[in-house]
Amino acid sequence: AWVGAALLAVHVAEMSAFHSAMPGYHFARYAQVGATDVMPSPAVASLGAAARAEGQRVLAADGSRNLFLRPNLPRAWGIPAASGTGSLGSAAYGGALQMGGPGDIGPEALRAEPRGIDLFAVRYVIIPESWGVTDQLATSQPERWSVVNRIQFRAADPGTRYAVLQNRRAQPPAWCAPSARPLEDEEARVAIVSGELGAGSFDPSQVALVSEGRDALDGPRGSEPPTVERAGADRPRQFRVKTSQPCMLVFSESYYPWWRARIDGVDHLPERVNLAMVGVRLPAGEHVVEFRLQPTSVWQGLAVSVVALAILGGLLMWLVSRTRLTLGGL
């Protein structure tokens, strides 16, 4: 009975999630949902495969209104998307990317100065042609933006035209910055959005922004830069690092307290860097670093919920049996 109830709850949750992604449909009309609504277009599937192979991401500039990357579906499609909606998108992440509540960004986030989408390895951005900024971006920042495709969701509707831009300034999935600078959160956000740090520019490959109170890191100038390589496509969270100096390994994932790192087989607790990213400090040398999510608090909450449900079920069974005995004695 408990298994059946759990499966029913999962099914209802799944239907609710799909309904939130497809607000034009009602539960009674699921048979009318077309294949184009639940499957990625060939162009977007190809884009996702390219981003996945590079360990980078695709961003729908108009967020949940995007017709090609609907909410809740990119993960099922295997497309590494940088946008989304819901409570798991932290305020720090949204602040770094200048992202609104529906997971959207404005044209200002695509200009030369902001570094948010670069930090989170956004290689491809899908932009509505109705914004009228596609050619302007490619012309004003040719070293960064190039139009790699133009796609249209409905052949008869010109309002569904999008451009796919490639961002050559996107950071790799992980890199090692030789310097770390402590800043308050608002100062870090301003540095990421403005692209300025102190009297100079903010170069994330050279300096990581750490929380105020953390130790600074000042790498020597002119030394050989650290190298970071992914262990393989089947191990996207494991990296081989070679550095001649201490550095901050920055992992382009949104920071949560659940992240853990293993450096050369020894567990370490990562710290929050660049306002909303994951980082660990490495000494000079060659290292193998693996990141993993360990949601201990979720497991503890689940255990408490299971125990509570078991107790509640036991009480209900006791009450039912007692009621039967009482009625049987009448």
Side-chain angles (χ1 to χ4, degrees):
W2 290 108
V3 174
L7 290 175
L8 180 61
V10 170
H11 182 59
V12 170
E14 184 274 332
M15 291 180 66
S16 301
F18 188 87
H19 185 66
S20 70
M22 311 292 292
Y25 291 95
H26 299 290
F27 289 112
R29 297 171 55 199
Y30 270 75
Q32 301 177 27
V33 177
T36 57
D37 292 324
V38 295
M39 296 295 293
S41 70
V44 172
S46 176
L47 200 66
R52 191 166 58 251
E54 298 165 357
Q56 297 179 313
R57 295 184 176 86
V58 181
L59 172 65
D62 52 346
S64 59
R65 292 180 290 273
N66 190 277
L67 297 171
F68 286 96
L69 285 179
R70 295 181 182 276
N72 306 322
L73 294 178
R75 184 173 182 84
W77 294 344
I79 297 175
S83 56
T85 58
S87 59
L88 287 180
S90 68
Y93 179 80
L97 274 74
Q98 298 174 268
M99 184 174 285
D104 60 330
I105 62 170
E108 63 277 0
L110 304 172
R111 298 196 175 101
E113 297 81 11
R115 300 304 302 258
I117 63 175
D118 304 335
L119 287 170
F120 283 94
V122 174
R123 176 64 69 181
Y124 303 100
V125 181
I126 304 177
I127 303 176
E129 291 275 31
S130 59
W131 286 13
V133 300
T134 302
D135 295 328
Q136 177 188 355
L137 288 170
T139 302
S140 62
Q141 304 178 57
E143 73 290 344
R144 182 188 187 191
W145 297 112
S146 61
V147 180
V148 295
N149 202 357
R150 294 183 188 270
I151 52 181
Q152 186 166 329
F153 191 74
R154 300 187 188 94
D157 186 358
T160 63
R161 292 174 182 167
Y162 290 83
V164 180
L165 270 67
Q166 183 179 38
N167 178 21
R168 298 190 188 92
R169 208 172 69 180
Q171 290 291 119
W175 68 94
C176 223
S179 300
R181 180 167 175 177
L183 290 177
E184 294 181 354
D185 284 358
E186 180 58 20
E187 293 176 317
R189 189 194 67 80
V190 170
I192 292 169
V193 170
S194 68
E196 297 178 356
L197 183 60
S201 60
F202 169 47
D203 183 354
S205 66
Q206 296 299 310
V207 59
L209 309 178
V210 299
S211 300
E212 190 178 35
R214 292 281 188 173
D215 294 335
L217 183 64
D218 295 309
R221 301 292 184 264
S223 57
E224 183 180 355
T227 61
V228 180
E229 297 179 352
R230 281 202 301 170
D234 57 332
R235 288 176 289 175
R237 296 176 178 174
Q238 188 178 99
F239 302 92
R240 299 187 183 96
V241 183
K242 183 177 181 180
T243 177
S244 60
Q245 58 186 301
C247 64
M248 174 70 76
L249 180 64
V250 180
F251 183 36
S252 64
E253 288 284 350
S254 185
Y255 175 83
Y256 296 103
W258 301 333
W259 280 109
R260 298 293 183 269
R262 179 164 293 176
I263 304 172
D264 301 326
V266 179
D267 289 336
H268 290 262
L269 188 65
E271 60 185 281
R272 183 166 59 92
V273 302
N274 295 336
L275 187 64
M277 304 182 76
V278 185
V280 289
R281 298 171 189 253
L282 298 179
E286 297 185 17
H287 308 281
V288 175
V289 183
E290 183 175 13
F291 294 93
R292 69 185 188 281
L293 278 170
Q294 186 175 306
T296 307
S297 58
V298 175
W299 297 337
Q300 292 171 343
L302 180 61
V304 171
S305 298
V306 169
V307 171
L309 284 172
I311 294 174
L312 179 61
L315 287 173
L316 288 174
M317 292 176 65
W318 177 76
L319 287 172
V320 169
S321 61
R322 184 178 179 184
T323 302
R324 286 177 177 174
L325 288 174
T326 303
L327 292 175
L330 294 177

Coordinates of all heavy atoms in Angstrom, one line a residue, residues 181-214:
R181 N 40.9 37.0 -3.8 CA 40.7 38.3 -3.2 C 39.4 38.3 -2.3 O 38.3 38.0 -2.9 CB 40.6 39.4 -4.2 CG 40.4 40.8 -3.6 CD 40.7 41.8 -4.6 NE 40.4 43.2 -4.1 CZ 40.6 44.3 -4.8 NH1 41.1 44.2 -6.0 NH2 40.3 45.5 -4.2
P182 N 39.5 38.5 -1.0 CA 38.3 38.5 -0.2 C 37.5 39.8 -0.4 O 38.0 40.9 -0.5 CB 38.8 38.5 1.2 CG 40.3 38.1 1.1 CD 40.7 38.6 -0.2
L183 N 36.2 39.6 -0.6 CA 35.2 40.7 -0.8 C 33.9 40.4 -0.2 O 33.5 39.3 0.0 CB 35.0 40.9 -2.3 CG 36.1 41.5 -3.2 CD1 35.6 41.6 -4.7 CD2 36.6 42.9 -2.7
E184 N 33.2 41.5 0.2 CA 31.8 41.3 0.6 C 31.0 40.9 -0.6 O 31.4 41.1 -1.8 CB 31.2 42.6 1.1 CG 31.9 43.1 2.4 CD 31.3 44.4 2.9 OE1 30.4 45.0 2.2 OE2 31.6 44.8 4.0
D185 N 29.8 40.2 -0.3 CA 29.0 39.7 -1.4 C 28.6 40.8 -2.4 O 28.7 40.5 -3.6 CB 27.8 39.0 -0.9 CG 28.1 37.6 -0.2 OD1 29.2 37.2 -0.3 OD2 27.1 37.0 0.3
E186 N 28.2 41.9 -2.0 CA 27.8 43.0 -2.9 C 29.0 43.5 -3.7 O 28.8 43.8 -4.9 CB 27.1 44.1 -2.1 CG 26.7 45.3 -3.0 CD 25.6 44.9 -4.0 OE1 25.0 43.8 -3.9 OE2 25.5 45.6 -5.0
E187 N 30.1 43.6 -3.1 CA 31.3 44.0 -3.9 C 31.6 42.9 -4.9 O 32.0 43.3 -6.1 CB 32.5 44.1 -2.9 CG 32.4 45.3 -2.0 CD 33.6 45.4 -1.0 OE1 34.0 44.3 -0.5 OE2 34.1 46.5 -0.8
A188 N 31.5 41.7 -4.6 CA 31.8 40.6 -5.6 C 30.7 40.7 -6.7 O 31.1 40.5 -7.9 CB 31.7 39.2 -4.9
R189 N 29.5 40.9 -6.4 CA 28.4 41.0 -7.4 C 28.7 42.2 -8.4 O 28.6 42.0 -9.6 CB 27.1 41.2 -6.8 CG 25.9 41.1 -7.8 CD 24.6 41.6 -7.2 NE 24.7 43.0 -6.9 CZ 24.5 43.9 -7.9 NH1 24.2 43.6 -9.1 NH2 24.6 45.2 -7.6
V190 N 29.1 43.3 -7.8 CA 29.4 44.5 -8.6 C 30.6 44.2 -9.6 O 30.6 44.6 -10.7 CB 29.7 45.7 -7.7 CG1 30.2 46.8 -8.6 CG2 28.4 46.1 -7.0
A191 N 31.6 43.5 -9.0 CA 32.8 43.2 -9.8 C 32.4 42.3 -11.0 O 32.9 42.4 -12.1 CB 33.9 42.5 -9.0
I192 N 31.5 41.3 -10.8 CA 31.1 40.3 -11.8 C 30.3 41.0 -12.8 O 30.4 40.9 -14.1 CB 30.4 39.2 -11.2 CG1 31.3 38.3 -10.3 CG2 29.7 38.3 -12.3 CD1 30.6 37.3 -9.5
V193 N 29.3 41.9 -12.4 CA 28.4 42.6 -13.3 C 29.1 43.7 -14.1 O 28.9 43.9 -15.3 CB 27.2 43.1 -12.5 CG1 26.4 44.1 -13.4 CG2 26.4 42.0 -12.0
S194 N 30.0 44.4 -13.4 CA 30.7 45.5 -14.1 C 32.0 45.1 -14.9 O 32.4 45.8 -15.7 CB 31.1 46.6 -13.1 OG 32.1 46.1 -12.2
G195 N 32.5 44.0 -14.5 CA 33.8 43.5 -15.1 C 35.0 44.3 -14.6 O 36.1 44.2 -15.2
E196 N 34.8 45.0 -13.5 CA 35.9 45.8 -12.9 C 36.2 45.4 -11.5 O 35.3 45.0 -10.7 CB 35.5 47.3 -12.9 CG 35.3 47.9 -14.3 CD 34.9 49.3 -14.3 OE1 34.7 49.9 -13.2 OE2 34.7 49.9 -15.4
L197 N 37.5 45.3 -11.2 CA 37.9 45.0 -9.9 C 39.0 45.9 -9.5 O 40.1 45.9 -10.0 CB 38.5 43.5 -9.9 CG 38.9 43.0 -8.5 CD1 37.7 43.0 -7.5 CD2 39.5 41.6 -8.7
G198 N 38.7 46.8 -8.5 CA 39.6 47.8 -8.1 C 39.9 48.8 -9.3 O 38.9 49.3 -9.9
A199 N 41.1 49.0 -9.5 CA 41.5 50.0 -10.6 C 41.6 49.3 -12.0 O 41.9 49.9 -13.0 CB 42.8 50.7 -10.3
G200 N 41.4 47.9 -12.0 CA 41.6 47.2 -13.2 C 40.4 46.4 -13.6 O 39.3 46.6 -13.0
S201 N 40.5 45.5 -14.5 CA 39.4 44.6 -15.0 C 39.4 43.3 -14.2 O 40.4 42.9 -13.6 CB 39.5 44.3 -16.5 OG 40.7 43.7 -16.7
F202 N 38.2 42.7 -14.1 CA 38.1 41.5 -13.4 C 38.3 40.3 -14.4 O 37.5 40.1 -15.3 CB 36.7 41.3 -12.8 CG 36.4 40.0 -12.2 CD1 37.3 39.3 -11.5 CD2 35.2 39.4 -12.5 CE1 37.0 38.0 -11.0 CE2 34.8 38.1 -12.1 CZ 35.8 37.4 -11.3
D203 N 39.4 39.6 -14.2 CA 39.8 38.5 -15.1 C 39.6 37.2 -14.2 O 40.5 36.9 -13.4 CB 41.2 38.6 -15.6 CG 41.6 37.4 -16.5 OD1 40.8 36.5 -16.7 OD2 42.7 37.5 -17.1
P204 N 38.5 36.4 -14.4 CA 38.3 35.3 -13.5 C 39.4 34.2 -13.6 O 39.5 33.4 -12.7 CB 36.9 34.8 -13.9 CG 36.7 35.3 -15.3 CD 37.4 36.6 -15.4
S205 N 40.1 34.2 -14.8 CA 41.1 33.2 -14.9 C 42.3 33.5 -14.0 O 43.1 32.6 -13.7 CB 41.6 33.0 -16.4 OG 42.2 34.2 -16.8
Q206 N 42.4 34.7 -13.6 CA 43.6 35.1 -12.8 C 43.3 35.4 -11.3 O 44.1 35.2 -10.4 CB 44.2 36.4 -13.3 CG 44.7 36.3 -14.7 CD 45.9 35.3 -14.8 OE1 46.8 35.3 -14.0 NE2 45.8 34.3 -15.7
V207 N 42.0 35.7 -11.0 CA 41.7 36.0 -9.6 C 40.3 35.4 -9.3 O 39.4 35.5 -10.1 CB 41.7 37.5 -9.3 CG1 40.8 38.3 -10.2 CG2 41.4 37.8 -7.8
A208 N 40.2 34.8 -8.1 CA 38.9 34.3 -7.6 C 38.4 35.2 -6.5 O 39.2 35.6 -5.7 CB 39.0 32.9 -7.2
L209 N 37.1 35.5 -6.5 CA 36.6 36.4 -5.4 C 36.0 35.5 -4.3 O 35.1 34.7 -4.6 CB 35.5 37.2 -6.0 CG 35.8 38.0 -7.3 CD1 34.6 38.8 -7.8 CD2 37.0 38.9 -7.1
V210 N 36.7 35.6 -3.2 CA 36.2 34.7 -2.0 C 35.5 35.6 -1.0 O 35.5 36.8 -1.0 CB 37.5 34.0 -1.4 CG1 38.2 33.1 -2.4 CG2 38.5 35.0 -0.8
S211 N 34.8 34.9 -0.1 CA 34.0 35.6 0.9 C 34.9 36.4 1.9 O 36.0 36.0 2.1 CB 33.2 34.6 1.7 OG 32.3 33.9 0.8
E212 N 34.3 37.5 2.3 CA 35.1 38.3 3.3 C 35.4 37.5 4.5 O 34.6 36.7 5.1 CB 34.2 39.5 3.7 CG 35.0 40.6 4.5 CD 34.1 41.8 4.8 OE1 32.9 41.6 5.0 OE2 34.6 42.9 4.8
G213 N 36.6 37.6 5.0 CA 37.1 36.9 6.1 C 38.0 35.7 5.7 O 38.7 35.1 6.6
R214 N 37.9 35.2 4.5 CA 38.7 34.2 4.0 C 40.1 34.7 3.7 O 40.3 35.9 3.4 CB 38.1 33.6 2.7 CG 36.8 32.8 3.0 CD 37.1 31.4 3.5 NE 35.9 30.6 3.6 CZ 35.9 29.3 3.9 NH1 37.0 28.7 4.2 NH2 34.8 28.6 4.0

